[in-house]
Amino acid sequence: MFAFSSAPLQMSFLLATILTSLLTITVSSIDSIDTTDIHYSSIQHDYHQRGYELEMVKTKGNQFVVGGKPFYVNGFNTYWLMILAVDPSTRVKVTDTFKQASAIGLTVCRTWAFNDGGWRALQKAPFVYDENVFQALDFVISEAKKNNIRLILSLTNSMEGYGGKAQYVKWGKAAGLNLTSDDDFYTNPIVKGYYKAYVKTVLNRVNTFTNITYKEDPTIFAWELINEPRCLTDPSGNTLQSWIEEMAFHVKSIDPKHLLEVGLEGFYGNSTPDRLKFNPDSYSGQVGTDFIRNHQAMGIDFATTHLYPDAWLSNSNLKDHLEFAKSWMQSHIDDAENVLGMPVVFAEFGMSAKDKNFSVSSRNQFIDMVYKTILNSTRRGGGAGGCLLWQIFPEGTDFMDDGYQVVLKTSKSTEKILSLQSKRLKKFNSNCSWRCNWTCRKN
């Protein structure tokens, strides 16, 4: 009897030993991956041959999951995709962007799902939309799906580019509203109604290429309320907080399936005075945003922050940039894990070629530091959900460059760093989900 009953115990011990070995292999092997370990073109081909379909991204604690498996992001920004997709002669640039990004394993793209007024406007006026531009956005989503890339779609802009809140206020003034500041975008009921109507129209849009309603399409990783919101007229943060809460409820009432984020730069505010020291300067704590408080609004599923030390720090050098970036990232990772209980995505980061101290080598060191900080969190199952480089360009689109473009075909050293990060995360995601059953933590 005792010999018989001991067999399950021996089997359990053996199983535990095997799982421990697999965990050790999983964690220790990430750094050993070289650039020939995983061939992404064959992976993409295999997906299409098997009729692979994307699944909705969810969150589980402070991590992203797809089908119950961990999903760490290595991605990019290309904000202008919809604009170039309007003209059939330049649509190939959209396709090229996704193909090149997919070839090096990038999995998420953040781009604009808005253009308010002006040239090639999607929203020509409140409640008036251009079907040709909408079909261009349909095309962007369809091409992303073909290349196994998910999209974070931003719904408007706090900056003046592509209309944004300033254009909404112009429309309000034209309608006879007594508006005195662009920040009236956040408070005026009629102007807020314009935005809500636009959001409803976009979320309920049926894609003319795929016949899938946007709010049902797993190609969309998440919605973003507004790019880099600020409210200078109310440094307390109360105005922006109320707007976030109202609009998050509005989005979720239409589309409860997709993830939602605010679009913050990540500056700390009045709710956490002890964290203000991590901001790049005192001014950034007075722009009406609050990394902690804003992300605690009901309906917000993950946190975001941006990272531009070359633009934020005056009279600084590469050493200063790297030191600031590491501190900035770690503070936000810690807060995502310990305070917010959600993933954080570094949704924009980059280095401008217009900076007087720029060099490709400096940019590569910066990107490499960002990636290593992400990996340090990934190894222990931490809250760093990933990062999105600002920004990837195909050849022949220099006229859209803001100084931050990375053209993969002509930036081979940078491309190699991006590819290596993709392969490390791909291997970690696969090993962790298949072998470790969510116990991939290195304590």
Side-chain angles (χ1 to χ4, degrees), residues 241 244-249 252 260 293-301:
Q241 182 69 16
I244 291 169
E245 292 171 355
E246 181 178 351
M247 297 310 166
F249 178 83
K252 288 293 188 176
L260 177 65
R293 185 186 179 196
N294 295 159
H295 285 123
Q296 289 175 328
M298 185 176 296
I300 300 303
D301 296 299

Side-chain angles (χ1 to χ4, degrees), residues 13-29:
F13 178 77
L14 178 60
L15 181 59
T17 302
I18 292 171
L19 287 173
T20 302
S21 298
L22 287 172
L23 173 58
T24 303
I25 292 169
T26 297
V27 173
S28 62
S29 64

Side-chain angles (χ1 to χ4, degrees), residues 186-237:
Y186 299 117
T187 58
N188 184 273
I190 294 177
V191 174
K192 288 191 292 182
Y194 296 162
Y195 174 80
K196 286 182 177 180
Y198 178 72
V199 168
K200 184 177 180 179
T201 300
V202 172
L203 272 56
N204 285 316
R205 168 78 177 180
V206 178
N207 192 309
T208 55
F209 289 86
T210 66
N211 203 35
I212 301 173
T213 306
Y214 284 14
K215 66 182 180 182
E216 302 289 341
D217 193 344
T219 309
I220 298 170
F221 181 103
W223 301 108
E224 177 177 283
L225 291 178
I226 180 171
N227 173 55
E228 296 188 342
R230 295 184 181 188
C231 184
L232 301 181
T233 57
D234 183 9
S236 75

Side-chain angles (χ1 to χ4, degrees), residues 42 273 302:
S42 63
F302 65 95

Side-chain angles (χ1 to χ4, degrees), residues 236 268-276 290-294 296:
S236 75
Y268 289 101
N270 294 333
S271 74
T272 52
D274 61 313
R275 309 302 274 174
L276 292 173
D290 189 316
F291 176 75
I292 297 297
R293 185 186 179 196
N294 295 159
Q296 289 175 328

